[in-house]
Amino acid sequence: MADSTLSTRSIEQALRSEIGLDGQDVIAHVDVNSIGPISGGAEALLAAILSAAGTVVMPAFTYQTQVIPQVGPPNNAMDYGGADERNARAEIFRPDLAVHPDMGALAELLRSDHDTIRSTHPILSFCAQGANAKKVLASQTRENPLGPVAWLDAHDGIVLMMGLDHRHNVSLHLAEQRAGREGFTRWALTLDDIEELHHIPGHRDGFNAIWGDLMQFGAVTQIGMARCEVIQIKPMLAFAEQQIRQYPNFLLCDKPACHYCGARRV
Ligand SMILES: [Zn+2]
């Protein structure tokens, strides 16, 4: 039986030759464990992505900084008050705070690399490495948390998904925002404050409704055991925005108990 163990070199070659990743600026969503044995492990996988792409951006979100106030705006998918115990467990945002486990081990590996930079949004920071890392991250402000996605949209960036589906495709939140779907207000602990943060996007469990439609904007291959996909951000966002304008509940999930999607359903 042939050795099926992958390496940095074989993954990089597959990314380049099979799905055309070659120096572009990418936002990457990766499940390390979906791929199978890799010589050198997660570090080798990250090295392959960094080598094939121009700039690699990943969400370094830190949901663990959030606190729940006693009162707040209505229609905000939040039950106010009574959260003293949870609030006591909240972590203070700082530049070296680990990314939330939901964002995946590879995002944390990129975040902790000494060549990586990170933006400073207390809930929705991004980390990046590569030629345009500073420009991508500088586009984020407190009032524009999805700035890095907009930057990638304006500069022909792409989404790279490895072993994950569109419930991880955070860029689609920008299409929701552009189509007029309101974000939420959340609160996060920082060193000297509790910051009130606006335009926080909602829930991604309904995002797979767009999966088939997006395949026209990219390429798919299998690397190891994982389905890997690249999608051009510009046509993806234009298509998703148009669909939401036409079908205002598009991309919301159908879970009856979901406060986020329930609050935005029309
Ligand atoms: Zn939902």
Side-chain angles (χ1 to χ4, degrees), residues 97-172:
L97 181 62
V99 308
H100 191 274
D102 285 358
M103 309 320 295
L106 211 69
E108 172 59 12
L109 191 62
L110 178 65
R111 197 277 312 158
S112 60
D113 190 279
H114 56 76
D115 289 328
T116 297
I117 57 172
R118 185 188 206 174
S119 61
T120 60
H121 192 288
I123 302 173
L124 301 179
S125 68
F126 289 82
C127 58
Q129 193 173 135
N132 289 316
K134 274 190 188 159
K135 290 181 192 166
V136 178
L137 297 192
S139 64
Q140 187 184 53
T141 65
R142 290 296 195 268
E143 288 301 312
N144 186 19
L146 297 175
V149 179
W151 192 97
L152 290 166
D153 172 52
H155 294 84
D156 296 320
I158 59 179
V159 178
L160 169 67
M161 320 271 303
M162 300 182 78
L164 292 172
D165 60 37
H166 287 288
R167 290 174 297 173
H168 297 267
N169 187 356
V170 302
S171 300
L172 289 171

Side-chain angles (χ1 to χ4, degrees), residues 25-95:
D25 299 324
V26 307
I27 179 166
H29 309 285
V30 183
D31 177 6
V32 181
N33 297 318
S34 69
I35 293 167
I38 302 170
S39 172
E43 287 83 358
L45 173 59
L46 181 60
I49 299 168
L50 287 167
S51 186
T55 307
V56 176
V57 182
M58 293 190 194
F61 299 172
T62 47
Y63 302 121
Q64 66 270 38
T65 61
Q66 292 182 82
V67 292
I68 298 175
Q70 291 297 319
V71 291
N75 200 25
N76 191 37
M78 177 172 274
D79 296 323
Y80 297 107
D84 291 349
E85 280 182 33
R86 184 188 147 165
N87 288 349
R89 290 195 304 273
E91 295 187 61
I92 296 170
F93 180 80
R94 51 188 197 279

